[in-house]
Amino acid sequence: MSQQVFNFGAGPAMLPIPVMERIRDEFLDFQGLGVSVIEVSHRAKQFEAVLNQAKERFRQLTDLPENYQILFVHGGARMQFSALPLNLAGRSASSKCLYVETGNFAKLAHKDAKPFGDIRVIASSADTNYDRIPVITPQMVDQDAAYLHVTGNNTLYGSRWQTFPETGKVPLIVDQTSEMLSRVLDFSTFGCAYAGLQKNLGPAGTALVVIRDDLLGQASPQTPTLLNYEVCAKDNSLTNTANTFAIYVTGLVLEWLQEQGGVAAIEKVNEQKAKILYDLIDAGDFYRGVILPEFRGTMNVSFNLASEELEAKFLKEAGAQGLYALKGHRSVGGIRASIYNAMPLAGVETLAAFMKEFERANG
Ligand SMILES: *Cc1c(COP(=O)(O)O)cnc(C)c1O
C-alpha cells in the first residue's frame, strides 16, 4: 500500500489517523497495566476513568447542560429506533409519537417504533425522493405527543435540517448519527440526541445517547433492561459489559476534536470541504446533485452522472487512484462522498482534482 488512500465510506467511516496510531501504539499495554485495553475489566478503575473522561469531553464539546445524561447504549443507532418509543411513548396518554420522514433512516425509525406506540408521520419528502426537508409549522406538532423525532442529517442524500422545528413542550429527538459534532448546535433545545458511533465518533455497534433528565423514568414495563435509559444512566452505562473498545476509541476521537479547536473549528473546515465539492457540481451539468441546494449539509455529498455506465467508470477510476468507497447507497445508486470530521481537506481536494479531470476526459 504505497499510494495514500482516502476513505469516503459512509460508515463505518474513517477515523483520524493520529487516533489510530495512538491505538496501535498503546494496544498491547494499556496505561502500563501490561494488558490491552480490550482485556481490562469494564469495572476496572482505569476503564471507568476512560468512560468518564469521554463523557466529560463530550459535555465540554457540546456545552451540554448539567441536566442531560450521556449514555453509551448497545446496538448502534438503529437499536434506539425501538428504544426511544419503549422509553418515551408512555409520556403521552395515547402513546402518540410524531415522526418526520426525510430519508431512509428516518423511515426505518418510525417503522421500528411501530410496535411500541401510536406512531404518526406528520410530514415526509418521500414523494420528491427526499430532495428536501419539509416545513414543520408549530400547528403540526400535537402538544399531546410524547416526542417529535427527526433525522438531523440524511446520510444517503446529504440533506439536513438547517434549523430544527419549534416543538413547544414536546421533546425534540434528533438522530445525529451522520452529523454528531460536525456543527455547532444548542443541545438544550433537544430532549434527546443520539448517534451510532461509527460515522463521527468511533467504531460501530454502540450509540451515544444524550437525554434530558426529566425524560428518564417513564419506560414501558416491557422495555429490555439494556435498552432502559434510566437503568443505563443509573449504572453509568455499565449495566453489563460495555463495548469498552468503542468507548475508549470514542474518547480518543473526542480528544482529537478538542485539539482541532472543537466543534466550531471543525464546522468551518466541514463547510470548506463541502463547498469545494458542491461548487464543482454546480459549475456545470456533468455532475448532478440529488438534493435541493438550500438543504445541503456538509457530511454526505451525493450526486449522479449521466448514466450508470459513466458512474461505474467513475468509481473504477477513482478507486484506482486511492479514492475509496464512493459508491452511493444501494437504495439510491450514484456517487456519495462521505466527508465526516476525520476526512482531511487534502482528501477532498484530491477528489475534486479527480472529478475535474474525469469531467474533462468524459464530458
Ligand atoms: C448510519 C445511520 C444509522 C444506522 O446506524 P447503525 O449504528 O448501523 O444502527 C441510523 N441513522 C442514521 C442517520 C445513520 O446515518
Side-chain angles (χ1 to χ4, degrees):
M1 203 194 69
S2 50
Q3 169 194 41
Q4 178 166 16
V5 170
F6 290 109
N7 180 3
F8 292 92
M14 68 171 293
L15 291 176
I17 287 170
V19 168
M20 290 191 287
E21 287 172 343
R22 175 145 169 213
I23 295 165
R24 180 196 60 199
D25 292 346
E26 58 191 37
F27 193 64
L28 294 185
D29 184 6
F30 179 60
Q31 297 189 2
L33 292 172
V35 297
S36 173
V37 62
I38 64 166
E39 302 172 310
V40 162
S41 166
H42 55 301
R43 309 209 183 276
K45 66 176 191 303
Q46 290 87 350
F47 178 75
E48 237 185 311
V50 165
L51 169 64
N52 291 335
Q53 195 173 37
K55 287 167 55 177
E56 191 49 37
R57 291 188 192 283
F58 186 90
R59 198 174 283 283
Q60 291 163 357
L61 283 161
T62 54
D63 246 326
L64 190 69
E66 282 305 318
N67 62 325
Y68 284 76
Q69 301 288 327
I70 301 167
L71 317 174
F72 288 96
V73 186
H74 297 285
R78 186 157 180 187
M79 190 66 98
Q80 313 321 311
F81 296 174
S82 306
L84 288 164
L86 281 164
N87 279 276
L88 295 169
R91 298 187 69 253
S92 155
S94 58
S95 78
K96 206 179 295 166
C97 307
L98 311 180
Y99 284 76
V100 183
E101 187 185 297
T102 51
N104 87 311
F105 285 117
K107 187 174 173 181
L108 290 173
H110 70 73
K111 178 173 166 276
D112 286 2
K114 201 93 193 171
F116 309 115
D118 176 4
I119 306 302
R120 310 273 178 98
V121 178
I122 62 165
S124 168
S125 52
D127 286 353
T128 54
N129 276 328
Y130 303 121
D131 66 346
R132 68 196 67 198
I133 301 287
V135 175
I136 305 298
T137 62
Q139 293 71 33
M140 293 164 76
V141 184
D142 184 338
Q143 293 298 301
D144 288 335
Y147 59 80
L148 171 68
H149 180 280
V150 301
T151 307
N153 179 76
N154 297 290
T155 320
L156 274 56
Y157 315 86
S159 60
R160 77 173 184 194
W161 294 83
Q162 307 297 5
T163 57
F164 289 100
E166 293 293 334
T167 59
K169 68 178 177 57
V170 175
L172 177 65
I173 300 183
V174 187
D175 177 357
Q176 286 208 274
T177 299
S178 56
E179 67 161 2
M180 187 54 96
L181 305 182
S182 69
R183 56 170 164 160
V184 176
L185 292 172
D186 179 359
F187 276 66
S188 73
T189 62
F190 304 149
C192 171
Y194 65 99
L197 300 181
Q198 71 276 21
K199 284 152 193 169
N200 255 337
L201 298 173
T206 294
L208 186 151
V209 177
V210 170
I211 187 162
R212 210 172 59 211
D213 284 337
D214 62 288
L215 301 180
L216 297 171
Q218 295 154 82
S220 100
Q222 287 86 357
T223 309
T225 308
L226 293 181
L227 295 185
N228 185 316
Y229 293 155
E230 185 191 25
V231 172
C232 192
K234 280 201 181 120
D235 293 343
N236 195 22
S237 302
L238 296 171
T239 306
N240 74 329
T241 314
N243 187 338
T244 51
F245 183 69
I247 293 168
Y248 154 77
V249 175
T250 298
L252 296 182
V253 171
L254 297 175
E255 183 176 352
W256 170 85
L257 188 51
Q258 289 183 315
E259 288 162 10
Q260 306 310 301
V263 180
I266 206 88
E267 180 177 24
K268 284 211 181 72
V269 182
N270 289 335
E271 282 168 357
Q272 195 186 353
K273 291 184 317 195
K275 186 172 185 310
I276 289 172
L277 298 182
Y278 279 124
D279 281 353
L280 218 153
I281 289 168
D282 291 341
D285 55 12
F286 187 75
Y287 297 110
R288 300 155 189 192
V290 303
I291 52 164
L292 299 174
E294 61 266 41
F295 301 108
R296 287 171 178 168
T298 58
M299 296 284 97
N300 310 94
V301 179
S302 291
F303 56 91
N304 288 103
L305 282 78
S307 68
E308 281 183 25
E309 292 68 39
L310 202 54
E311 287 170 353
K313 187 166 189 247
F314 179 98
L315 291 169
K316 187 159 177 260
E317 292 179 18
Q321 294 195 24
L323 301 167
Y324 175 71
L326 282 162
K327 194 172 171 40
H329 188 270
R330 56 195 144 83
S331 69
V332 180
I335 316 293
R336 171 177 54 179
S338 295
I339 48 174
Y340 301 120
N341 285 350
M343 174 59 69
L345 186 58
V348 172
E349 286 169 344
T350 306
L351 172 60
F354 169 79
M355 286 170 70
K356 277 185 199 145
E357 175 54 26
F358 188 82
E359 180 174 354
R360 196 196 56 74
N362 298 278

